[in-house]
Coordinates of all heavy atoms in Angstrom, one line a residue:
I49 N 96.6 155.0 27.2 CA 96.3 154.1 28.3 C 96.5 154.8 29.6 O 97.6 155.5 29.8 CB 97.1 152.8 28.3 CG1 97.0 152.1 26.9 CG2 96.6 151.8 29.4 CD1 95.7 151.6 26.5
A50 N 95.6 154.8 30.5 CA 95.8 155.4 31.8 C 97.0 154.8 32.5 O 97.2 153.6 32.5 CB 94.6 155.2 32.7
D51 N 97.8 155.7 33.1 CA 99.1 155.2 33.8 C 98.9 154.4 35.0 O 99.8 153.7 35.4 CB 99.9 156.5 34.2 CG 101.1 156.7 33.2 OD1 101.4 155.7 32.5 OD2 101.6 157.8 33.2
D52 N 97.7 154.4 35.6 CA 97.5 153.6 36.8 C 97.1 152.2 36.6 O 97.0 151.4 37.5 CB 96.5 154.3 37.7 CG 95.1 154.3 37.1 OD1 95.0 154.3 35.8 OD2 94.1 154.3 37.8
V53 N 96.9 151.8 35.3 CA 96.6 150.4 35.0 C 97.8 149.6 34.5 O 98.7 150.2 33.8 CB 95.4 150.2 34.0 CG1 94.2 150.9 34.6 CG2 95.7 150.8 32.6
Y54 N 97.8 148.3 34.8 CA 99.0 147.5 34.4 C 98.7 146.7 33.1 O 99.6 146.2 32.5 CB 99.3 146.5 35.5 CG 100.0 147.2 36.6 CD1 99.3 147.8 37.7 CD2 101.4 147.2 36.7 CE1 99.9 148.4 38.7 CE2 102.1 147.8 37.8 CZ 101.3 148.5 38.7 OH 102.0 149.1 39.8
Y55 N 97.5 146.7 32.6 CA 97.2 146.1 31.3 C 97.5 147.1 30.2 O 97.7 148.3 30.5 CB 95.8 145.6 31.2 CG 94.7 146.5 31.5 CD1 94.2 147.5 30.6 CD2 94.1 146.5 32.8 CE1 93.2 148.3 30.9 CE2 93.0 147.4 33.1 CZ 92.6 148.3 32.1 OH 91.6 149.2 32.4
G56 N 97.5 146.7 29.0 CA 97.9 147.5 27.9 C 97.0 147.5 26.7 O 95.8 147.3 26.9
V57 N 97.5 147.8 25.5 CA 96.6 148.1 24.4 C 95.8 146.9 23.9 O 94.7 147.0 23.6 CB 97.5 148.7 23.2 CG1 98.6 147.7 22.7 CG2 96.6 149.1 22.0
Q58 N 96.4 145.7 24.0 CA 95.7 144.5 23.6 C 94.5 144.2 24.5 O 93.4 143.9 24.0 CB 96.6 143.3 23.6 CG 97.7 143.4 22.5 CD 97.2 143.0 21.1 OE1 96.2 142.3 21.0 NE2 97.8 143.6 20.1
T59 N 94.7 144.4 25.8 CA 93.6 144.3 26.7 C 92.5 145.3 26.5 O 91.3 145.0 26.5 CB 94.1 144.4 28.2 OG1 95.1 143.4 28.4 CG2 93.0 144.2 29.2
F60 N 93.0 146.5 26.2 CA 92.0 147.6 25.9 C 91.2 147.3 24.7 O 90.0 147.6 24.7 CB 92.8 149.0 25.8 CG 91.9 150.2 25.9 CD1 91.7 150.7 27.1 CD2 91.3 150.7 24.8 CE1 90.9 151.9 27.3 CE2 90.4 151.8 24.9 CZ 90.2 152.4 26.2
R61 N 91.8 146.7 23.7 CA 91.0 146.4 22.5 C 89.9 145.4 22.9 O 88.8 145.4 22.4 CB 91.9 145.7 21.4 CG 93.0 146.6 20.9 CD 92.5 147.7 20.0 NE 93.6 148.4 19.4 CZ 93.6 149.6 18.9 NH1 92.4 150.3 19.0 NH2 94.6 150.2 18.4
A62 N 90.3 144.4 23.7 CA 89.3 143.4 24.1 C 88.1 144.0 24.9 O 87.0 143.6 24.8 CB 90.0 142.3 25.0
L63 N 88.4 145.0 25.8 CA 87.4 145.7 26.5 C 86.4 146.4 25.6 O 85.2 146.5 25.8 CB 88.0 146.7 27.5 CG 88.7 146.1 28.7 CD1 89.4 147.3 29.5 CD2 87.8 145.4 29.6
E64 N 87.0 146.9 24.4 CA 86.1 147.6 23.5 C 85.3 146.6 22.7 O 84.1 146.8 22.3 CB 87.0 148.4 22.5 CG 87.6 149.6 23.1 CD 88.4 150.4 22.0 OE1 89.0 149.7 21.2 OE2 88.3 151.6 22.1
N65 N 85.8 145.4 22.4 CA 85.2 144.5 21.4 C 84.3 143.4 22.1 O 83.4 142.9 21.4 CB 86.3 143.7 20.6 CG 87.1 144.7 19.7 OD1 86.5 145.6 19.2 ND2 88.3 144.4 19.5
F66 N 84.6 143.0 23.3 CA 83.9 141.8 23.9 C 83.1 142.2 25.1 O 83.6 142.5 26.2 CB 84.9 140.7 24.2 CG 85.7 140.3 23.0 CD1 87.1 140.3 23.1 CD2 85.2 139.9 21.8 CE1 87.9 139.9 22.1 CE2 85.9 139.6 20.7 CZ 87.3 139.5 20.9
H67 N 81.8 142.3 24.9 CA 80.8 142.5 26.0 C 79.9 141.3 26.0 O 78.7 141.4 25.6 CB 80.1 143.8 25.8 CG 81.0 145.0 25.6 ND1 81.6 145.7 26.6 CD2 81.4 145.6 24.5 CE1 82.3 146.7 26.2 NE2 82.3 146.7 24.9
M68 N 80.3 140.2 26.5 CA 79.6 139.0 26.3 C 78.8 138.6 27.6 O 77.6 138.5 27.6 CB 80.5 137.8 25.9 CG 81.4 138.1 24.8 SD 80.5 138.3 23.2 CE 80.2 136.6 22.9
S69 N 79.6 138.4 28.7 CA 78.9 137.8 29.9 C 78.9 138.8 31.1 O 78.1 138.6 32.0 CB 79.7 136.6 30.4 OG 81.0 137.0 30.9
G70 N 79.7 139.8 31.0 CA 79.8 140.8 32.2 C 80.6 140.2 33.3 O 80.6 140.8 34.4
R71 N 81.2 139.0 33.1 CA 82.1 138.4 34.1 C 83.5 138.5 33.7 O 84.0 137.8 32.9 CB 81.7 136.9 34.3 CG 80.2 136.7 34.8 CD 80.0 137.2 36.2 NE 80.9 136.5 37.2 CZ 80.7 135.3 37.7 NH1 79.5 134.7 37.4 NH2 81.5 134.8 38.6
P72 N 84.3 139.4 34.3 CA 85.7 139.5 34.0 C 86.6 138.4 34.6 O 86.1 137.7 35.5 CB 86.1 140.9 34.6 CG 85.2 141.1 35.7 CD 83.9 140.4 35.3
L73 N 87.8 138.3 34.0 CA 88.7 137.3 34.5 C 88.9 137.4 36.0 O 89.2 136.4 36.7 CB 90.0 137.4 33.8 CG 90.0 137.2 32.3 CD1 91.4 137.5 31.7 CD2 89.6 135.8 31.9
K74 N 88.9 138.6 36.6 CA 89.2 138.8 38.0 C 88.2 138.0 38.9 O 88.5 137.8 40.1 CB 89.2 140.3 38.4 CG 87.9 141.0 38.2 CD 88.1 142.5 38.5 CE 86.8 143.3 38.3 NZ 87.0 144.7 38.5
D75 N 87.0 137.7 38.3 CA 86.1 136.9 39.1 C 86.5 135.4 39.2 O 85.8 134.7 39.9 CB 84.7 136.9 38.4 CG 84.0 138.3 38.5 OD1 84.6 139.2 39.3 OD2 82.9 138.5 37.9
Y76 N 87.6 135.0 38.6 CA 88.0 133.6 38.6 C 89.5 133.6 39.1 O 90.4 133.4 38.3 CB 87.9 133.0 37.2 CG 86.5 133.1 36.7 CD1 86.0 134.2 36.0 CD2 85.7 132.0 36.9 CE1 84.7 134.2 35.6 CE2 84.3 132.0 36.4 CZ 83.9 133.1 35.8 OH 82.6 133.2 35.3
P77 N 89.7 133.8 40.4 CA 91.1 133.9 40.9 C 91.9 132.6 40.7 O 93.1 132.7 40.6 CB 90.9 134.2 42.4 CG 89.5 133.8 42.7 CD 88.7 134.0 41.5
Y78 N 91.3 131.4 40.7 CA 92.0 130.2 40.5 C 92.7 130.3 39.1 O 93.8 129.8 38.9 CB 91.1 129.0 40.6 CG 90.8 128.5 42.0 CD1 89.9 129.1 42.7 CD2 91.5 127.4 42.5 CE1 89.6 128.6 44.0 CE2 91.2 126.9 43.8 CZ 90.3 127.5 44.5 OH 90.0 127.0 45.8
F79 N 91.9 130.8 38.1 CA 92.3 130.8 36.7 C 93.5 131.8 36.6 O 94.5 131.6 35.9 CB 91.2 131.2 35.8 CG 91.4 131.2 34.4 CD1 92.2 130.2 33.8 CD2 90.9 132.2 33.6 CE1 92.5 130.2 32.4 CE2 91.2 132.2 32.2 CZ 91.9 131.2 31.6
V80 N 93.3 133.0 37.2 CA 94.4 134.0 37.1 C 95.7 133.5 37.8 O 96.8 133.6 37.2 CB 93.9 135.3 37.8 CG1 95.1 136.3 37.9 CG2 92.8 135.9 37.0
K81 N 95.6 132.9 38.9 CA 96.7 132.3 39.6 C 97.4 131.2 38.7 O 98.6 131.2 38.6 CB 96.3 131.7 40.9 CG 97.5 131.0 41.7 CD 97.0 130.4 43.0 CE 98.1 129.7 43.7 NZ 97.7 129.1 45.0
A82 N 96.6 130.4 38.1 CA 97.1 129.3 37.2 C 97.9 129.9 36.0 O 98.9 129.5 35.6 CB 96.0 128.4 36.7
F83 N 97.3 131.0 35.4 CA 98.0 131.7 34.3 C 99.3 132.2 34.7 O 100.3 132.1 34.0 CB 97.1 132.8 33.7 CG 96.9 132.7 32.3 CD1 95.6 132.4 31.8 CD2 97.9 132.9 31.4 CE1 95.4 132.2 30.4 CE2 97.7 132.7 30.0 CZ 96.4 132.4 29.5
A84 N 99.4 132.8 36.0 CA 100.7 133.3 36.5 C 101.7 132.1 36.7 O 102.9 132.3 36.4 CB 100.5 134.0 37.8
Q85 N 101.2 131.0 37.2 CA 102.1 129.8 37.3 C 102.6 129.3 36.0 O 103.8 129.0 35.9 CB 101.3 128.7 38.1 CG 101.0 129.0 39.5 CD 100.1 128.0 40.2 OE1 99.1 127.5 39.5 NE2 100.3 127.8 41.4
I86 N 101.7 129.3 35.0 CA 102.2 128.9 33.6 C 103.2 129.9 33.1 O 104.2 129.5 32.5 CB 100.9 128.9 32.7 CG1 100.1 127.7 33.0 CG2 101.4 128.9 31.2 CD1 100.6 126.3 32.5
K87 N 103.0 131.2 33.2 CA 103.9 132.2 32.7 C 105.2 132.2 33.4 O 106.3 132.4 32.8 CB 103.3 133.6 32.8 CG 102.1 133.8 31.9 CD 102.5 133.8 30.4 CE 101.3 133.9 29.5 NZ 101.7 133.9 28.0
K88 N 105.2 131.9 34.7 CA 106.5 131.8 35.5 C 107.2 130.6 35.0 O 108.5 130.7 34.8 CB 106.2 131.7 37.0 CG 107.4 131.5 37.8 CD 107.1 131.4 39.3 CE 108.4 131.2 40.1 NZ 108.1 131.1 41.6
A89 N 106.6 129.5 34.8 CA 107.2 128.3 34.4 C 107.8 128.5 33.0 O 109.0 128.0 32.7 CB 106.3 127.1 34.3
A90 N 107.1 129.2 32.1 CA 107.6 129.4 30.8 C 108.8 130.3 30.8 O 109.8 130.0 30.1 CB 106.5 130.1 29.9
A91 N 108.8 131.4 31.6 CA 110.0 132.2 31.6 C 111.2 131.5 32.2 O 112.3 131.6 31.6 CB 109.7 133.4 32.5
L92 N 111.0 130.7 33.2 CA 112.2 130.0 33.8 C 112.7 128.9 32.9 O 113.9 128.6 32.8 CB 111.8 129.5 35.2 CG 111.5 130.5 36.2 CD1 111.1 129.9 37.5 CD2 112.7 131.5 36.4
A93 N 111.7 128.3 32.1 CA 112.1 127.3 31.2 C 112.9 127.9 30.0 O 114.0 127.3 29.6 CB 110.9 126.5 30.6

């Protein structure tokens, strides 16, 4: 994995396997923000 990216092997597998819509998650900032809020809540819980 290139050192300059923050995603890892599981994400890389998905990039290889799924070429469906051409719309990556980064096109949906509300969703990415919500996922971070969920993960923060889970860690603190």
Side-chain angles (χ1 to χ4, degrees):
I49 309 291
D51 255 342
D52 64 332
V53 299
Y54 285 85
Y55 53 81
V57 61
Q58 293 282 331
T59 302
F60 197 89
R61 299 286 187 206
L63 288 174
E64 290 182 321
N65 291 329
F66 305 126
H67 305 279
M68 310 292 285
S69 70
R71 297 292 300 276
L73 297 172
K74 64 184 178 182
D75 288 353
Y76 301 87
Y78 279 82
F79 185 41
V80 173
K81 178 180 179 180
F83 234 110
Q85 290 170 324
I86 287 284
K87 292 294 177 179
K88 178 180 179 180
L92 295 179

